[in-house]
Amino acid sequence: MDFKDRVIFITGASDGIGKQLAIELAACGAVVVGCGRSRDRLVETLKEVRKFSPKSLMIACDIGDAEQVHGMMKKVLADFGRIDILINNAGIGMRKPFVDTPVETIEAVMRTNYLGAVYCTHEVLPAMIARGSGHIVNISSGAGKIGTLNMAAYCASKFAMNGWSESLYHELKPLGVNVSVVCPGPVSTQFSHEFEDSEPKSPPQLFINVAAVSRAVMRAIENNQFEVVMPRWLALMCALKRFAPGLFRAIALRRFRSYVKIPARVAISPEFPGN
Ligand SMILES: NC(=O)c1ccc[n+]([C@@H]2O[C@H](COP(=O)([O-])OP(=O)(O)OC[C@H]3O[C@@H](n4cnc5c(N)ncnc54)[C@H](OP(=O)(O)O)[C@@H]3O)[C@@H](O)[C@H]2O)c1
């Protein structure tokens, strides 16, 4: 696909994978419209993006707020006439045993990672369907393929995104709108640095960089690929889980077992023996 003059909307364009995508797509001639919550970081991204694509724009918006998303998308569709490609990338993480994760955190993770993508897609799809063309790209995670210790809320949001993407694929392909879901393993961004002190840690050699993810996303769009799981070791793990689920669970349980502790909320409870 030629990205020149395509209008591409990227959520979470102010940092990490989204920022890299914004710059690379602008360098290919796309008009990039991005959003994020922090205005300061959006300004930094916009400076980089406008070096290649002067019409590009960044908008402050919390995608977890359906009304803000409605206002933003209405304005973008009015100003730019169309959105050719929507990249649902914005996301937040967490790492805590489920019992110790406040319900507010679980709700915030689901609201940003899953509902945020739903709100944005709901706003842009009618025009894509009417035109009979468009592409929705969902940035999920390896945690959307494999349930991981201490990441229950995050995994739930990404599994939701994967199931939703598969349904959308069947609904939209016959109408001319493509859907891709990209599931990367650990990526070196601020997102992963925030959790580098919590267990289980990903070994540094397993991290990939934002440029590799950005290239994979652009290839998925160009080749109309539905699902991308990367890097290769993660794709192999997903294949093992699919074809030998019992063996996979036994290996994972062995690997994770040493990280399991009595959750803090239980340890301080008067019912816990020893208190
Ligand atoms: N890093 C990894 O290891 C990894 C691995 C697999 C998948 N992923 C996924 O890749 C995506 C991007 O992650 P990243 O590593 O690039 O993270 P990042 O560097 O932390 O960037 C996240 C971006 O999302 C924006 N964002 C967060 N909450 C938002 C909200 N409510 N509304 C609007 N924008 C919001 C952030 O901007 P503001 O904070 O200013 O809003 C920022 O621009 C996420 O969906 C993540 O789940 C990451």
Side-chain angles (χ1 to χ4, degrees):
M1 180 192 267
D2 187 0
F3 291 108
K4 193 158 170 33
D5 295 329
R6 301 273 169 169
V7 181
I8 305 184
F9 194 100
I10 306 173
T11 68
S14 59
D15 212 349
I17 297 167
K19 181 175 182 178
Q20 181 74 19
L21 271 167
I23 296 168
E24 287 196 21
L25 286 164
C28 292
V31 176
V32 176
V33 188
C35 75
R37 291 164 303 176
S38 149
R39 282 173 194 276
D40 293 349
R41 285 191 294 162
L42 287 171
V43 168
E44 288 308 308
T45 304
L46 191 59
K47 271 189 211 154
E48 301 279 320
V49 165
R50 283 216 172 136
K51 285 180 194 162
F52 305 104
S53 171
K55 284 195 226 150
S56 291
L57 187 70
M58 294 288 145
I59 303 167
C61 174
D62 179 346
I63 58 151
D65 180 331
E67 267 185 46
Q68 283 189 38
V69 171
H70 176 69
M72 169 177 73
M73 291 304 190
K74 208 171 144 191
K75 183 164 168 36
V76 172
L77 287 169
D79 291 355
F80 291 86
R82 66 186 198 283
I83 292 171
D84 296 304
I85 301 170
L86 167 66
I87 305 182
N88 288 309
N89 161 75
I92 53 173
M94 50 74 55
R95 201 171 286 182
K96 248 182 203 303
F98 173 71
V99 173
D100 286 338
T101 312
V103 284
E104 293 78 12
T105 305
I106 297 169
E107 287 166 357
V109 168
M110 197 52 109
R111 202 163 39 242
T112 305
N113 297 5
Y114 173 59
L115 288 176
V118 168
Y119 299 151
C120 293
T121 306
H122 215 250
E123 293 292 335
V124 307
L125 260 185
M128 285 186 177
I129 294 171
R131 279 201 325 277
S133 73
H135 204 131
I136 307 290
V137 184
N138 295 323
I139 307 300
S140 180
S141 167
K145 304 287 292 177
I146 295 171
T148 309
L149 177 86
N150 291 347
M151 291 168 74
Y154 182 72
C155 287
S157 71
K158 295 298 187 178
F159 268 70
M161 183 174 240
N162 283 20
W164 172 65
S165 303
E166 198 171 314
S167 283
L168 281 188
Y169 172 86
H170 293 297
E171 281 186 34
L172 300 178
K173 187 87 182 161
L175 300 175
V177 180
N178 297 306
V179 177
S180 299
V181 58
V182 178
C183 307
V187 188
S188 323
T189 62
Q190 187 51 38
F191 179 98
S192 26
H193 299 321
E194 268 172 46
F195 306 107
E196 61 196 0
D197 294 332
S198 44
E199 299 288 2
K201 292 188 179 75
S202 300
Q205 65 273 21
L206 294 188
F207 278 79
I208 48 178
N209 59 38
V210 285
V213 182
S214 168
R215 275 197 304 275
V217 171
M218 288 165 74
R219 265 199 311 272
I221 299 170
E222 283 169 331
N223 302 332
N224 246 331
Q225 240 173 309
F226 170 64
E227 188 179 75
V228 178
V229 179
M230 64 181 295
R232 195 157 294 170
W233 63 262
L234 181 61
L236 284 172
M237 277 173 62
C238 292
L240 178 63
K241 178 182 162 175
R242 185 165 170 208
F243 294 112
L247 174 66
F248 178 81
R249 255 194 308 278
I251 295 169
L253 189 62
R254 218 181 133 127
R255 149 109 173 84
F256 289 144
R257 176 161 249 149
S258 58
Y259 299 113
V260 177
K261 308 213 166 45
I262 300 295
R265 205 173 122 208
V266 176
I268 59 166
S269 147
E271 286 139 46
F272 187 63
N275 287 339

